[in-house]
Amino acid sequence: MKKTLLAALLSITATSAMAEMDHSKMDHSKMDHGSMNHESMDHSNMNHDDMDHSMMSMEGMSDVGMPATGAKPDKVVHVVLADDMTIKFKKEVQIEPNDVVQFVVMNVGKIDHEFTIGSAKEQLEHREMMKKMSHHMHDSGNAVTVKPGKAKQLIWHFHGDSKVEFACNIPGHAEAGMIKKVSL
């Protein structure tokens, strides 16, 4: 009887000691976070200042979303870039917030064109940067430059600002009207 009582008492003491432990100095990097139930956790008093925000500066990140390379798209949109300085969708499609969209971008013209996704402010900044570049061939997370008669693809996850601009920011092209605006 004494052994059973002693075992129960030790079990209760160890359990309450573990519950009251200070976990703030633990090395959490070795924990298996995949099996945790994050919905039941209280994140309201977390200090976000020390968190790693490196994803926030990922190439192509935008106010309107982010690259989704390798993701399964919800929709496929065929984009036509032409020398009459237009960006057209072959079929009009309704893009919704949180959609992952695969853009198949075709240049049917005789000169290079670019397809960039961003907010109006980001497009203007990109346009100014392009004016300073000696060559305009570059692909990034939110942009592809397409040679005449060629096609490229871009997969994008829309979240954030609902006012989206698609533009060709090769100098003079957007100024000539090569911008398509949509609201999600």
Side-chain angles (χ1 to χ4, degrees):
M1 177 74 174
K2 285 184 183 178
K3 286 183 183 179
T4 306
L5 187 57
L6 184 60
L9 185 58
L10 281 173
S11 176
I12 292 169
T13 306
T15 303
S16 70
M18 291 295 285
E20 292 179 21
M21 241 172 81
D22 178 11
H23 296 270
S24 65
K25 294 181 179 45
M26 285 180 65
D27 180 5
H28 290 87
S29 65
K30 304 216 180 350
M31 294 174 69
D32 178 12
H33 290 87
S35 62
M36 292 181 171
N37 179 0
H38 290 87
E39 286 83 33
S40 65
M41 293 180 180
D42 177 14
H43 292 94
S44 62
N45 61 355
M46 284 181 73
N47 179 1
H48 291 88
D49 296 336
D50 296 328
M51 292 178 75
D52 178 9
H53 291 95
S54 60
M55 287 295 287
M56 298 302 278
S57 62
M58 186 171 88
E59 183 179 47
M61 283 294 289
S62 166
D63 292 341
V64 301
M66 63 187 280
T69 308
K72 183 177 185 257
D74 300 309
K75 296 174 180 154
V76 177
V77 176
H78 293 271
V79 181
V80 178
L81 308 177
D83 291 347
D84 64 355
M85 300 300 150
T86 57
I87 297 174
K88 295 179 183 166
F89 292 170
K90 268 190 166 180
K91 283 193 260 180
E92 282 306 312
V93 102
Q94 184 64 42
I95 299 171
E96 307 282 334
N98 285 318
D99 274 352
V100 174
V101 178
Q102 176 184 8
F103 292 95
V104 178
V105 185
M106 298 165 283
N107 181 350
V108 298
K110 297 189 183 325
I111 60 174
D112 291 350
H113 289 294
E114 178 187 67
F115 179 77
T116 306
I117 303 169
S119 66
K121 177 181 173 261
E122 291 167 334
Q123 295 289 13
L124 188 57
E125 289 169 0
H126 188 92
R127 209 166 293 134
E128 291 304 312
M129 178 202 66
M130 292 282 282
K131 288 178 185 175
K132 297 174 185 157
M133 294 173 68
S134 59
H135 75 291
H136 302 109
M137 286 298 292
H138 73 284
D139 291 354
S140 64
N142 70 324
V144 290
T145 304
V146 187
K147 290 265 184 215
K150 300 291 182 186
K152 288 189 179 176
Q153 74 169 349
L154 190 105
I155 300 178
W156 190 259
H157 179 202
F158 287 92
H159 59 83
D161 192 348
S162 64
K163 297 197 182 314
V164 179
E165 274 193 17
F166 304 104
C168 175
N169 291 308
I170 292 176
H173 291 209
E175 294 82 351
M178 207 162 184
I179 297 173
K180 182 173 182 68
K181 298 178 182 188
V182 298
S183 291
L184 310 184

